Amino acid sequence: MKKLYGVLGNPIEHSMSPLIHNDAFKRNGIEGDYLPFLVEGAALGKAVEGLKAIGAGGFNVTVPFKESVIPYMDALDPFAKEVGAVNTAVIKDGLITGYNTDGPGFVRSLAPLINGQFAGKRVLIIGGGGAARGIYCAMAKTGIERMDIANRTLSAARQIVADCHDGTPSSVLSLEEAEKSLAIYDIIIQTTSVGLSSLHESPISLMGIKEKTVVCDIIYNPLKTKFLREAENNGAIIQTGVDMFVQQAALAFELWTGISPDCERMRQLVLENLGG
Ligand code: ATR
């Protein structure tokens, strides 16, 4: 019998997770079905209980439930606990365990761009929301030299450093301060919602970056944000949000099935779906 998987979110109709997971199930000969579930906030607990009751194999959690789903987990993976957000749940023997594959997915997507050399790298994260938190905590474990964080609201960024600090030297900056010191960074990661569904917005100007800076945006719609276009114009090596999306999905698939899916195929499916 087919095992049920899915993604809980609101809105959810544009999620590409069903596309790539169903394809990966098929290609790996796994009897699985992955569906999008539109959940009203007040019904989140019932939705989770329902999936558990019918013997689902697991599910993803997306905006806006990554934090509010935590009380419905029976157990939390230590990294998800540190980040305070769950995007993947595994249901086994009637118990639900919450994981966070967003941050580790980002790290895996970044590794090939820097030949796996995290040591000695200076990193700037822009943003202080849930995505920044996951990426900060995962990047802090890679041995990078320093990781600063710039956000419109300084207190949110300070809280991330306080919660996730792994001994990596780190300063909290305003967006204006960050803009003036861009040349010191080897890697710049854009995690805010600025530029989402808009070709004309960017959280900061990238005029000041040095050549060959690796510049990543976690947004993938539009595929090339204004932020990335400006980075490219200033000589950066860029990465769109598609790679992080694919890697977080691949890690979730591995947790559910023990099988590493074909990430390049997942990537192509996402790009085709985005019309690129
Ligand atoms: P996510 O879970 O996707 O990270 P979030 O937690 O709502 O979403 O975080 C959104 C991020 O985008 C925050 O860093 C937010 O800045 P604040 O912490 O100051 O709210 C940032 N953001 C949203 N709109 C912004 C804007 N117009 N200018 C600058 N930053 C913005």
Side-chain angles (χ1 to χ4, degrees):
M1 203 172 72
K2 277 194 169 180
K3 266 254 183 253
L4 182 68
Y5 297 84
V7 54
L8 310 183
N10 193 342
I12 202 64
E13 62 270 28
H14 297 301
S15 171
M16 281 187 269
S17 296
L19 173 77
I20 58 176
H21 283 295
N22 282 323
D23 181 75
F25 283 141
K26 206 185 284 174
R27 288 185 69 82
N28 288 286
I30 292 169
E31 293 279 304
D33 233 335
Y34 186 111
L35 296 172
F37 295 111
L38 179 68
V39 178
E40 295 302 331
L44 180 62
K46 283 185 184 160
V48 172
E49 283 304 314
L51 286 167
K52 191 169 160 181
I54 60 171
F59 54 91
N60 285 128
V61 183
T62 188
V63 175
F65 302 128
K66 290 184 185 181
E67 287 159 30
S68 54
V69 80
I70 288 180
Y72 305 111
M73 299 291 114
D74 297 310
L76 272 187
D77 170 72
F79 182 71
K81 192 171 183 180
E82 182 185 0
V83 175
V86 161
N87 78 319
T88 302
V90 177
I91 307 176
K92 208 171 169 206
D93 303 327
L95 285 181
I96 309 187
T97 306
Y99 294 84
N100 185 306
T101 69
D102 285 329
F106 177 80
V107 169
R108 268 208 340 196
S109 74
L110 176 66
L113 269 78
I114 56 173
N115 297 320
Q117 294 294 310
F118 289 91
K121 296 290 189 297
R122 294 174 172 189
V123 181
L124 173 68
I125 296 186
I126 302 167
R133 177 172 282 271
I135 290 172
Y136 186 96
C137 293
M139 286 291 289
K141 297 182 189 352
T142 61
I144 54 170
E145 184 176 311
R146 72 170 296 120
M147 184 162 50
D148 297 340
I149 175 162
N151 194 39
R152 180 179 60 179
T153 308
L154 294 179
S155 56
R158 282 198 195 103
Q159 195 58 50
I160 292 177
V161 176
D163 291 347
C164 301
H165 208 271
D166 264 301
T168 308
S170 187
S171 301
V172 169
L173 309 169
S174 68
L175 294 172
E176 295 72 24
E177 285 168 334
E179 218 168 63
K180 287 184 201 138
S181 58
L182 290 175
I184 69 166
Y185 298 106
D186 305 298
I187 301 167
I188 300 174
I189 308 159
Q190 195 310 98
T191 73
T192 76
S193 48
V194 182
L196 185 64
S197 307
S198 158
L199 286 169
H200 309 293
E201 288 174 54
S202 173
I204 64 169
S205 159
L206 290 174
M207 299 268 282
I209 61 171
K210 64 182 179 198
E211 252 197 89
K212 303 240 184 312
T213 305
V214 173
V215 177
C216 311
D217 200 325
I218 67 162
I219 292 173
Y220 57 84
N221 193 11
L223 190 57
K224 217 184 257 184
T225 54
K226 179 178 178 192
F227 183 81
L228 288 186
R229 281 183 278 127
E230 198 181 333
E232 211 169 32
N233 290 340
N234 285 286
I237 296 161
I238 63 163
Q239 175 160 272
T240 72
V242 169
D243 298 273
M244 174 184 173
F245 176 70
V246 164
Q247 293 299 339
Q248 65 75 32
L251 287 169
F253 194 86
E254 285 168 26
L255 285 169
W256 294 327
T257 67
I259 294 170
S260 300
D262 180 346
C263 291
E264 186 47 35
R265 183 176 165 90
M266 282 183 160
R267 191 168 176 275
Q268 288 307 326
L269 282 174
V270 173
L271 289 174
E272 275 167 29
N273 202 256
L274 285 169

